[in-house]
């Protein structure tokens, strides 16, 4: 019964968004401890199980990058629940940064790509990052360097996702790319909320964007099909 659900994309999707809705309601209406420590982890755990039973990866190293990324997202989710605690916030930032590095390794490849096509996109991303950093500059304090590194890793991750366009099928490309863009917005909103000021509907939007982002990213990876033979960079 459980395996039937985990191997069925539609059932897993419905279950994922039910869990996401429950977690958002818990976030809005109940104390973080102990309720969110129960409601939030199942999101990533479900994605972990879905990937485990459905991935078509041929290389063990690519599987390892995904498993490690999911583990870091899971631990980061747990620590960031208590983001008012500086130690827990610091640990969560490190874990999410490492998760993005593992995802970058998984998405990277050695196929040829157009540098000219990448430039306008990179400029837009850089401008958005500079805007967020400028907005938070006076509020980050000791977190300035970690935040800068984290945003830089996000830029690298988005570029790797963008460069998959000529390598993988359209569904996987669009799913992963949009997922990472959503993650970037969620990350930016979380940073503004934590270090600068409250935003309208922040508790709903941050978690909703984050949930949709990880769903799209890992579902896109599972459904990935190559247009042509391609080797990923080995690290």
């Amino acid at each position: 019964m459980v395996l039937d659900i985990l191997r069925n994309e539609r059932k897993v999707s419905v279950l994922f968004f039910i869990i996401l809705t429950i977690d958002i309601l818990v976030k809005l209406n109940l104390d973080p401890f102990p309720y969110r420590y129960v409601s939030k982890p199942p999101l990533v755990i479900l994605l972990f199980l879905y990937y485990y039973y459905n991935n078509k990866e041929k290389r063990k190293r690519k599987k390892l990058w995904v498993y490690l990324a999911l583990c870091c997202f899971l631990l980061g989710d747990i620590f960031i629940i208590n983001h008012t605690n500086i130690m827990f916030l610091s640990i969560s930032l490190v874990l999410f940064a490492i998760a993005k590095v593992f995802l970058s390794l998984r998405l990277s490849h050695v196929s040829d790509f157009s540098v000219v096509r990448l430039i306008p996109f990179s400029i837009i991303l850089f401008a958005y990052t500079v805007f967020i950093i400028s907005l938070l500059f006076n509020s980050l304090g000791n977190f300035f360097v970690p935040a800068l590194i984290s945003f830089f890793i996000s830029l690298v991750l988005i570029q790797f996702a963008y460069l998959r366009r000529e390598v993988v099928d359209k569904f996987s490309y669009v799913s992963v790319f949009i997922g990472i863009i959503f993650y970037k917005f969620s990350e930016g909103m979380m940073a503004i909320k934590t270090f600068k000021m409250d935003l309208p509907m922040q508790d709903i939007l941050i978690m909703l964007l984050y949930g949709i982002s990880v769903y799209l990213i890992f579902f896109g990876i599972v459904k990935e099909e190559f247009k042509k033979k391609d080797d990923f960079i080995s690290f």
Side-chain angles (χ1 to χ4, degrees):
M1 177 65 179
V2 175
L3 288 182
D4 288 340
I5 294 175
L6 291 173
R7 288 179 173 145
N8 186 301
E9 179 182 341
R10 183 173 297 178
K11 291 179 181 178
V12 171
S13 299
V14 171
L15 181 58
F16 179 89
F17 284 101
I18 289 174
I19 295 172
L20 178 59
T21 301
I22 291 172
D23 183 54
I24 292 174
L25 291 174
V26 169
K27 183 176 183 179
L28 293 174
N29 298 291
L30 297 174
D31 293 331
F33 183 84
Y35 302 106
R36 289 212 71 209
Y37 288 92
V38 176
S39 67
K40 193 172 186 181
L43 281 172
V44 176
I45 292 173
L46 179 61
L47 291 176
F48 189 102
L49 293 173
Y50 174 73
Y51 177 80
Y52 178 82
Y53 285 108
N54 296 278
N55 80 84
K56 297 172 286 187
E57 307 279 19
K58 295 180 179 179
R59 296 187 179 183
K60 292 182 179 179
R61 185 165 294 180
K62 291 195 291 184
K63 289 184 182 181
L64 179 62
W65 299 144
V66 177
Y67 288 136
L68 290 173
L70 284 164
C71 287
C72 288
F73 276 122
L74 175 60
L75 293 174
D77 281 349
I78 292 172
F79 279 101
I80 205 169
I81 291 172
N82 188 11
H83 63 273
T84 55
N85 182 300
I86 293 182
M87 181 177 293
F88 282 15
L89 177 61
S90 301
I91 294 172
S92 69
L93 287 176
V94 171
L95 287 166
F96 285 129
I98 294 173
K100 289 182 288 187
V101 170
F102 287 135
L103 271 183
S104 297
L105 293 174
R106 170 57 183 80
L107 299 178
S108 60
H109 59 83
V110 294
S111 293
D112 293 333
F113 59 89
S114 173
V115 175
V116 174
R117 192 185 71 200
L118 185 62
I119 290 175
F121 180 69
S122 298
I123 291 173
I124 294 172
L125 289 177
F126 182 74
Y128 172 77
T129 302
V130 169
F131 169 75
I132 296 294
I133 292 294
S134 299
L135 182 65
L136 301 176
F137 181 78
N138 294 325
S139 305
L140 286 171
N142 293 332
F143 282 94
F144 177 76
V145 173
L148 195 62
I149 293 173
S150 180
F151 280 124
F152 173 76
I153 295 173
S154 294
L155 286 176
V156 173
L157 175 59
I158 295 175
Q159 288 179 335
F160 276 131
Y162 182 72
L163 293 174
R164 295 168 72 244
R165 182 176 181 179
E166 304 301 328
V167 178
V168 302
D169 64 284
K170 185 176 181 180
F171 176 85
S172 178
Y173 170 76
V174 172
S175 180
V176 171
F177 183 72
I178 293 177
I180 291 174
I181 293 295
F182 276 24
Y183 181 86
K184 182 70 174 174
F185 283 123
S186 174
E187 179 182 56
M189 291 184 68
M190 185 66 188
I192 294 171
K193 170 193 171 182
T194 303
F195 296 106
K196 185 71 174 181
M197 60 184 179
D198 289 335
L199 297 169
M201 299 178 65
Q202 60 186 16
D203 290 332
I204 296 176
L205 290 175
I206 291 172
M207 196 57 214
L208 185 61
L209 288 172
Y210 173 75
I212 294 174
S213 73
V214 292
Y215 169 84
L216 291 174
I217 291 168
F218 291 103
F219 264 67
I221 289 175
V222 169
K223 304 292 284 185
E224 181 181 79
E225 297 285 348
F226 291 103
K227 291 183 178 180
K228 58 184 179 180
K229 186 176 180 181
D230 181 69
D231 292 319
F232 279 69
I233 299 171
S234 299
F235 289 89

